[in-house]
Amino acid sequence: DRIARESPLQAIRLFGQATDLAIAQKDHAAAANALVGITRCYLNLHQMDSAKVYLLKGISFQEKTGDKGKLAKLYNNLGVL
């Protein structure tokens, strides 16, 4: 979270790389986590539309994991946006 606050543009790039790697490995949970990291960066930049786009992408990957608890948290976050 610190890098997302202090250097959000750098963090977006790094989370993007993490997302690509997770997708290549078919690790849906890691992809969801990385996309939610991008969401946090855009929230810190006060770019709510972009944050929502990445949160929705994160939700789509989280749905594939079967972890309903984390999925519920993401939907809750979507409601706040």
Side-chain angles (χ1 to χ4, degrees):
D1 282 334
R2 181 176 168 190
I3 191 170
R5 286 189 312 273
E6 294 177 3
S7 301
L9 295 177
Q10 179 184 5
I12 288 169
R13 184 179 55 79
L14 294 172
F15 281 126
Q17 291 173 354
T19 301
D20 292 342
L21 289 171
I23 291 170
Q25 298 275 329
K26 298 184 180 176
D27 186 340
H28 302 303
N33 287 335
L35 289 162
V36 170
I38 294 173
T39 300
R40 286 193 307 272
C41 293
Y42 280 118
L43 288 172
N44 289 330
L45 292 168
H46 305 285
Q47 296 181 18
M48 302 307 169
D49 289 340
S50 294
K52 184 177 180 180
V53 166
Y54 282 92
L55 182 56
L56 288 169
K57 289 180 182 183
I59 287 171
S60 72
F61 278 95
Q62 191 63 52
E63 287 174 340
K64 297 174 185 177
T65 69
D67 186 336
K68 293 182 181 180
K70 286 186 180 180
L71 185 60
K73 288 179 185 178
L74 295 182
Y75 274 117
N76 184 62
N77 292 343
L78 182 61
V80 174
L81 280 179

